[in-house]
Amino acid sequence: MGFKRFIAAVLVFVLAFANGPFVMGRAISKEEAKSLTKGIDVSYYNGDVNYKSVADQGYTSVMIRLGAGQSYTDPTFSNNYTAAKNAGLLRGAYYYSYATTVEQAMAEAERTLDLLDGRKLEFPVAFDIEEESAFETGMENCTAMVKAYCDIIKQAGYDPCVYASRDKLVNFIDYEQISGYKIWIANYECDYPDYPHPYWMWQYQHTSVPGANTQGGDCDQNIYYGEEFVEASEVTVSETNLEFKLGDDESYVKEADLTASVGPDNASNKHINWYSEDENIATVDQNGHITAVDNGTVNIVASSVNGVEGKCEVTVKTPSTAIEIVNEDLTIGKGETFSLSASLTPPNSTDGFYCKSSDEKVVYVNEDGTLTGKKKGEATITVTTDSGVTTEVVVTVKKAPWRVYHNKIIKFVNKGDTYNMDIKLPKNSASNYIDYYSRNTKIATIDEKGNIKAKKEGWVLIKAEAFNGKRTWTLLIVE
């Protein structure tokens, strides 16, 4: 299509001889090819086209170049127009644009009508916008040029159309402003164009068409949808939930492949775009291959070009290989509750854990894993992670304390000194948890182990309280 197309064809010809066969095409199945309505587009560079040969190969339409720029006329248009009709092909026309302003695009539209000279066409008249000089003017101007050209063609009674590559249509032509006109999209080496709007025709490959090849040995080929373009309405993903495991175990699944199908079955564009909603958790490439990255849950999305989506929820976990309980031997009072604290290996393990008591009459385990001392005695608590790693903790239950005391009701300390309360409980009683409290932390603070830090001169009351509310107070005087 135009001089640049000719240069490209020459390069293809050179490459064919230098490196063997070279074909620019797409991944279309033989079965699908049989059901598609196909056509070609031609210009002076295709020479004297044998339309009977073209028709015998299953092509049913042809887009014929009229001219280019402000003055060029394609010398083969008239012959192509007549010969295509005699072979029974549906005919359309295109005009190669060199316009960079709306005024120039309008002038090209008038030249298009002059060259058509009232001829009948079964297919639209296309504004062929390919020159970088046009796109350098920006989206607003490119869109205005397309619209201006198409408006004039429509007013003359023809069916207007815009031809451009997929990238140019997306980045330089505002679909909302030209949606009333047909789109002829060029997009090679793909299953379907990654374009989010309906298109009338798709230029899908540039390969040999005997009887219509350019001097480079190839011909542009198109798939025609016409008014029958069917938009995607659903996307179905092969899996809706997947789980991956991270770690050194070779049996862990860390990667997987998804497939997706676009419905309905007769959807015109079945292209799928894949993406991850959080690539910090899992990534996906454009073939649907998923790779786990880090712990978490994320949706892997398969999206049609018009925005219909199907999703697979991916969960990434890190199983534990070992578990250590902070309190290996635990003593609690009767009626006291306690939640075990676990350290998992590796540290980023996503496992939870559950506990089971060897004697629930001594130590009862609630559904949330909380231990409760029920009566005096001893029980072994088996702790098991979600991945099946286990350890044991021995829990001794004693009487609940009936008092809490400290051998210093009044204690004198110097500023800056530290002091431990050393709380006492009656014999054979226990309170694993003691709550410490300072009434004035500006004078002295106390931590969870009863360590006092004298900060400035003065006096303060310090409390120590067992799980069952039994408590003692100490008057601390800081000198």
Side-chain angles (χ1 to χ4, degrees):
M1 304 183 66
F3 180 71
K4 287 191 173 182
R5 184 76 70 192
F6 170 67
I7 295 299
V10 171
L11 289 174
V12 170
F13 180 75
V14 172
L15 286 170
F17 282 93
N19 301 306
F22 177 85
V23 176
M24 189 178 292
R26 45 87 68 175
I28 181 173
S29 68
K30 292 181 179 179
E31 291 74 18
E32 186 180 11
K34 291 178 182 178
S35 66
L36 296 173
T37 304
K38 298 185 296 180
I40 61 173
D41 51 90
V42 298
S43 68
Y44 166 80
Y45 301 107
N46 294 86
D48 186 11
V49 178
N50 183 338
Y51 282 99
K52 182 179 184 307
S53 173
V54 171
D56 288 345
Q57 294 170 65
Y59 296 94
T60 60
S61 64
V62 59
M63 294 295 288
I64 308 168
R65 187 178 70 167
L66 284 158
Q70 300 299 302
S71 59
Y72 178 77
T73 300
D74 192 306
T76 61
F77 171 72
S78 293
N79 288 339
N80 281 327
Y81 177 84
T82 302
K85 178 184 179 182
N86 293 338
L89 271 67
L90 302 172
R91 299 159 301 173
Y94 71 90
Y95 195 92
Y96 191 95
S97 175
Y98 283 96
T100 57
T101 67
V102 170
E103 291 73 20
Q104 290 174 355
M106 294 172 69
E108 289 178 342
E110 295 296 343
R111 279 212 79 236
T112 298
L113 296 175
D114 289 342
L115 294 172
L116 283 171
D117 194 25
R119 288 181 175 86
K120 179 182 177 182
L121 294 172
E122 296 78 30
F123 269 19
V125 177
F127 181 62
D128 180 354
I129 178 169
E130 299 184 44
E131 290 295 310
E132 286 301 322
S133 57
F135 300 121
E136 287 171 359
T137 66
M139 175 179 279
E140 183 177 352
N141 185 63
C142 287
T143 303
M145 289 196 297
V146 169
K147 194 172 186 304
Y149 180 96
C150 290
D151 286 347
I152 292 174
I153 298 301
K154 183 176 182 179
Q155 290 169 10
Y158 289 100
D159 190 9
C161 173
V162 56
Y163 168 93
S165 70
R166 177 265 175 203
D167 290 344
K168 302 305 184 186
L169 284 168
V170 168
N171 296 310
F172 293 97
I173 300 174
D174 183 357
Y175 175 79
E176 297 303 321
Q177 295 191 49
I178 56 97
S179 60
Y181 299 125
K182 289 182 171 64
I183 291 176
W184 177 14
I185 185 171
N187 200 185
Y188 295 170
E189 298 180 334
C190 63
D191 290 335
Y192 294 91
D194 185 8
Y195 184 65
H197 308 293
Y199 42 88
W200 163 74
M201 192 158 67
W202 168 23
Q203 188 181 87
Y204 71 106
Q205 65 180 359
H206 185 73
T207 57
S208 176
V209 179
N213 288 330
T214 65
Q215 298 172 41
D218 291 306
C219 181
D220 292 331
Q221 295 170 67
N222 305 292
I223 291 172
Y224 163 65
Y225 295 99
E227 307 301 330
E228 303 303 319
F229 190 98
V230 178
E231 292 226 51
S233 60
E234 62 178 342
V235 173
T236 303
V237 182
S238 55
E239 301 287 343
T240 56
N241 294 93
L242 286 175
E243 182 174 295
F244 298 111
K245 294 180 180 180
L246 299 176
D248 296 331
D249 192 321
E250 293 183 358
S251 68
Y252 291 167
V253 177
K254 304 173 185 177
E255 300 180 53
D257 291 301
L258 290 176
T259 59
S261 59
V262 174
D265 290 340
N266 63 335
S268 298
N269 190 329
K270 295 185 177 182
H271 180 78
I272 288 291
N273 291 316
W274 292 95
Y275 70 91
S276 168
E277 291 184 345
D278 189 344
E279 292 193 341
N280 293 318
I281 297 174
T283 61
V284 63
D285 65 19
Q286 289 308 303
N287 294 314
H289 183 77
I290 306 171
T291 303
V293 177
D294 201 356
N295 297 330
T297 299
V298 62
N299 284 321
I300 299 298
V301 183
S303 175
S304 68
V305 294
N306 63 332
V308 180
E309 295 182 343
K311 297 182 179 181
C312 174
E313 185 178 87
V314 170
T315 301
V316 182
K317 296 181 178 180
T318 300
S320 60
T321 56
I323 181 171
E324 180 181 357
I325 301 300
V326 175
N327 312 88
E328 294 183 358
D329 293 296
L330 179 66
T331 300
I332 61 177
K334 180 181 177 181
E336 185 173 8
T337 60
F338 188 83
S339 296
L340 294 176
S341 178
S343 175
L344 299 178
T345 302
N348 65 333
S349 172
T350 52
D351 277 357
F353 61 89
Y354 59 93
C355 304
K356 185 176 181 180
S357 174
S358 63
D359 189 345
E360 292 207 337
K361 291 181 180 180
V362 175
V363 178
Y364 179 77
V365 181
N366 297 332
E367 289 184 1
D368 63 1
T370 302
L371 312 180
T372 302
K374 302 298 289 183
K375 73 173 186 177
K376 292 171 55 179
E378 190 175 272
T380 299
I381 307 300
T382 302
V383 185
T384 307
T385 71
D386 294 338
S387 299
V389 179
T390 64
T391 189
E392 293 182 344
V393 179
V394 176
V395 178
T396 301
V397 180
K398 294 184 176 182
K399 293 187 296 183
W402 56 270
R403 64 176 290 206
V404 175
Y405 58 97
H406 174 232
N407 58 7
K408 300 287 185 181
I409 297 177
I410 301 176
K411 176 65 178 177
F412 291 87
V413 296
N414 293 319
K415 176 182 175 182
D417 284 353
T418 58
Y419 171 71
N420 187 275
M421 284 194 73
D422 191 23
I423 292 301
K424 305 294 184 183
L425 300 177
K427 188 177 180 180
N428 294 323
S429 70
S431 177
N432 180 269
Y433 176 72
I434 301 292
D435 179 38
Y436 296 99
Y437 169 72
S438 168
R439 275 200 169 178
N440 191 337
T441 57
K442 292 182 179 180
I443 294 175
T445 59
I446 186 167
D447 64 20
E448 70 277 3
K449 294 183 179 180
N451 297 311
I452 296 172
K453 172 71 175 180
K455 299 179 69 177
K456 77 172 190 176
E457 295 177 356
W459 63 271
V460 61
L461 286 172
I462 303 293
K463 180 190 74 172
E465 184 174 348
F467 78 90
N468 60 346
K470 303 302 179 182
R471 69 189 70 171
T472 185
W473 292 90
T474 295
L475 175 62
L476 186 73
I477 299 174
V478 182
E479 300 179 318

